[in-house]
Amino acid sequence: MIIRVVLALALSAPPVMTPAGAPQSPCPVPVPARTSCGFLEVPERRDAPERKIKVGYAVHLSTAADRKPDPVVYMSGGPGSASMQLTGFLSQMFPDRDVVTVEQRGSRYSQPSLACPETAQALLGRLRQPPADVGAAANRCRERLAEQGVDLRGYNTKEIAADVVALRQKLGYASWNLFGVSYSTRVMTEVAAADPEGVRSVVLDSYLPAGVAWYDDAARNLGDTMALLGVRERYEAMLARLNRTPALVPVLDPLAGREFTARMTGDDVATILAEALHEAEVAAVMPAMVGALAEGRDEVLRPLADAVGEGLTSHEFGLYHAVQCQDEVPFNTFSQASRLFTVNADKAVCDAWRLPKSEGSVSAVKAPAYVLAGQYDPTTPPRTAGPAAEALPAARFQQFPGLSHAVFLASACARREIAGFVGDPARHAPAPCPAPELRPDGLHVTGAPYRISQSPWLAAPLALYALAALIQLVTAALRGRALAAFGGLAGVAFTGVVAQAVLGLANRNETALAVGLPDLVVPYSSIAVVSAILSAAALYHDRRWPQIAATVISGGFLVWWFTWVL
């Protein structure tokens, strides 16, 4: 690995990294060719520099003939999300530039990693009865980290930004282009303010500006998004119904590896919806989902509940709460009780940890900046991102219709605009991007597709029906049994048109299948009914076992289809 890195550096022209800055560690995730990884050693606290920690990073070297000298440096959000796994994705966005992905101190690919499984387990335990004590769980995590020598006061935005500045100096780049998303937009504005000579341009996707009371605004932001989606009244009805009578939902606990029954109130569901709405595909099906929940169709809660468990493995919660408790929670009033349990849980952790309040963030960004916001983003909405962008001296703001959080991940058009901006920050004029075609034309709400995706054997009745219909069609046609042949043909036609409708929906918005099926499957079901009638009628002329079996399978399938699927 080291030999390949040295050769890559030797053959790259022009050389842009000092020998001391060349990364020399194995990469912990799959990365493209000409990518190497390393660690930046920094003080855990720069005001007490004795203890050192390591910040992970990756460098991808461009092979373009017109390779530019200033790379793109990217950091994911969170706080506590990993960055390196996007190295290949970003190298395709910026083929003529080196790409540097830098981890946050304390994140998964840095040392130490501030994982807090105790807190993650308690957050999921908020859906149990009685709810878990998140503050007590966080204290257990803090005590464990303290035994390892970790000082949580060193894990904040200002220190993370200083790491980015130090990494540029280590790698030897004269200047580079900053790229942040969500929480890391705050980091990158700090970097731009602290290192103006080393910053050529700044991309801020889903901008979280300093001074925004994120916790105080969380419920309003979610409500505003529901209003934009046209479901505010049904959303309020859903909250009221589930707060009166909570739903009992089986949930997979990924940390314990087993299922438990979650008790989900309307406020719990609102919390989960706020996180789920980060995905544009979820926003597109939210009207159908909220409408179904308002009407009592609780089967759509299963994929939402499972997403909670999956989300708990995406952050290092020790880092997340260390940053939030110093840089975010102290700047909110919490004057009104929040219905979102993540807001209440974060405050409970911070009340338990009692970390010092930071001095606040600086946003004196002099370099050209491009600020992107998704129309349906409930976390960093255009309502706050737009005015904050206007306050930056050389910023351009663009809202993307139909999209939500982390615009660049969902939109090829946005990626082209970002690349165009980085190519010429001073003169780039953002072009409008069309809204993606993600919203289904019509959706019949049912939990069957999601359950089948989790346990494919549940689709056995459909497979058996399709096979029986095909055999009936072939054998009856060979024997000249027209009635039976038409029955088999109708069954084959039914499975064909349903498969075509489902595949069309999956190609347009795969997430929609977690909520239901294309509404066309309901009228298509009449074809299956006709198939069953024709098969039964054929028994008058052919009472041998193949036709009997086809008729029984067809009738059994209809029972399964109308009672379990639809």
Side-chain angles (χ1 to χ4, degrees):
M1 177 67 181
I2 294 176
I3 293 174
R4 289 200 300 272
V5 172
V6 172
L7 286 174
L9 293 174
L11 294 174
S12 62
V16 293
M17 297 173 63
T18 64
Q24 299 179 349
S25 299
C27 293
V29 295
V31 292
R34 291 178 60 85
T35 302
S36 49
C37 299
F39 288 103
L40 173 72
E41 188 174 273
V42 292
E44 185 175 49
R45 290 175 53 195
R46 286 177 167 83
D47 60 348
E50 296 80 13
R51 175 176 159 84
K52 305 294 184 182
I53 61 173
K54 294 181 177 180
V55 175
Y57 67 95
V59 178
H60 171 75
L61 300 177
S62 170
T63 59
D66 59 342
R67 172 186 176 194
K68 307 300 189 297
D70 42 278
V72 171
V73 56
Y74 169 83
M75 177 183 286
S76 290
S81 296
S83 304
M84 285 188 198
Q85 72 278 6
L86 287 175
T87 304
F89 186 82
L90 293 163
S91 69
Q92 294 176 12
M93 280 184 66
F94 307 103
D96 59 345
R97 281 182 163 80
D98 293 353
V99 169
V100 180
T101 50
V102 56
E103 300 297 326
Q104 298 162 27
R105 55 169 55 204
S107 65
R108 182 169 305 170
Y109 303 126
S110 295
Q111 297 177 2
S113 172
L114 271 58
C116 264
E118 302 92 339
T119 309
Q121 192 74 56
L123 285 169
L124 187 59
R126 296 291 296 175
L127 301 178
R128 300 179 188 268
Q129 283 297 319
D133 188 335
V134 178
N139 272 338
R140 291 195 296 273
C141 178
R142 183 178 187 177
E143 291 168 2
R144 178 176 52 78
L145 293 174
E147 292 174 358
Q148 302 171 17
V150 172
D151 186 343
L152 292 174
R153 293 174 294 177
Y155 299 84
N156 56 49
T157 302
K158 195 170 291 294
E159 292 283 10
I160 294 170
D163 296 341
V164 178
V165 176
L167 181 60
R168 183 187 67 80
Q169 296 166 350
K170 174 181 177 178
L171 296 179
Y173 292 110
S175 67
W176 57 10
N177 304 277
L178 308 180
F179 187 174
V181 59
S182 191
Y183 162 70
S184 67
T185 60
R186 187 171 289 180
V187 174
M188 293 309 186
T189 55
E190 287 274 359
V191 174
D195 187 29
E197 297 303 317
V199 177
R200 176 176 173 269
S201 70
V202 186
V203 176
L204 304 173
D205 185 343
S206 305
Y207 184 26
L208 180 65
V212 170
W214 184 83
Y215 287 104
D216 288 347
D217 285 349
R220 173 190 173 180
N221 291 342
L222 177 57
D224 288 350
T225 299
M226 292 298 178
L228 284 172
L229 291 166
V231 294
R232 184 64 178 263
E233 291 184 2
R234 284 176 285 174
Y235 167 69
E236 295 292 347
M238 178 271 295
L239 287 178
R241 182 184 72 82
L242 289 174
N243 279 335
R244 288 193 306 269
T245 310
L248 300 179
V249 184
V251 179
L252 177 64
D253 183 337
L255 301 173
R258 59 177 180 271
E259 278 194 354
F260 73 96
T261 299
R263 180 180 179 273
M264 297 178 66
T265 67
D267 295 342
D268 295 334
V269 174
T271 303
I272 299 167
L273 292 180
E275 295 296 320
L277 275 167
H278 284 184
E279 304 292 334
E281 290 187 348
V282 175
V285 299
M286 190 58 63
M289 183 180 294
V290 170
L293 289 172
E295 296 169 3
R297 302 289 300 276
D298 291 342
E299 61 265 34
V300 300
L301 289 175
R302 178 63 188 267
L304 289 174
D306 283 345
V308 176
E310 294 170 3
L312 294 177
T313 62
S314 65
H315 290 65
E316 307 308 296
F317 277 99
L319 169 60
Y320 171 83
H321 281 119
V323 172
Q324 295 298 91
C325 292
Q326 295 177 86
D327 296 341
E328 190 64 59
V329 167
F331 299 92
N332 289 258
T333 64
F334 297 94
S335 57
Q336 297 181 350
S338 175
R339 64 179 24 154
L340 306 181
F341 71 71
T342 47
V343 172
N344 299 326
D346 287 358
K347 186 175 186 304
V349 172
C350 296
D351 288 345
W353 279 7
R354 298 184 180 277
L355 293 174
K357 176 182 178 180
S358 72
E359 297 176 359
S361 299
V362 178
S363 58
V365 179
K366 297 180 181 179
Y370 180 31
V371 181
L372 300 84
Q375 178 186 13
Y376 298 133
D377 187 354
T379 300
T380 54
R383 178 181 64 83
T384 56
E390 292 177 2
L392 301 177
R396 300 170 183 83
F397 174 76
Q398 185 172 3
Q399 178 176 316
F400 289 79
L403 297 182
S404 187
H405 203 62
V407 171
F408 85 103
L409 290 176
S411 170
C413 180
R415 293 193 289 273
R416 289 192 297 270
E417 291 302 314
I418 292 171
F421 166 77
V422 173
D424 191 353
R427 291 185 292 181
H428 174 258
C433 288
E437 296 182 2
L438 296 173
R439 184 170 292 193
D441 295 328
L443 204 60
H444 177 79
V445 174
T446 169
Y450 181 75
R451 293 179 63 185
I452 289 173
S453 72
Q454 302 301 105
S455 303
W457 64 267
L458 291 173
L462 177 60
L464 180 61
Y465 172 77
L467 179 61
L470 179 61
I471 293 173
Q472 181 183 0
L473 170 61
V474 173
T475 56
L478 292 175
R479 294 175 180 174
R481 304 289 188 180
L483 204 58
F486 279 117
L489 178 62
V492 170
F494 167 76
T495 55
V497 294
V498 166
Q500 184 179 29
V502 170
L503 289 174
L505 178 60
N507 290 333
R508 189 172 186 177
N509 184 346
E510 189 175 2
T511 301
L513 291 176
V515 180
L517 293 167
D519 58 4
L520 285 174
V521 301
V522 177
Y524 286 166
S525 300
S526 61
I527 304 175
V529 174
V530 169
S531 172
I533 293 172
L534 292 174
S535 297
L539 282 177
Y540 285 104
H541 306 287
D542 184 1
R543 297 187 180 182
R544 289 176 291 183
W545 70 264
Q547 188 59 41
I548 295 173
T551 304
V552 170
I553 291 171
S554 182
F557 169 78
L558 288 180
V559 173
W560 175 81
W561 182 256
F562 283 104
T563 60
W564 189 79
V565 174
L566 299 184

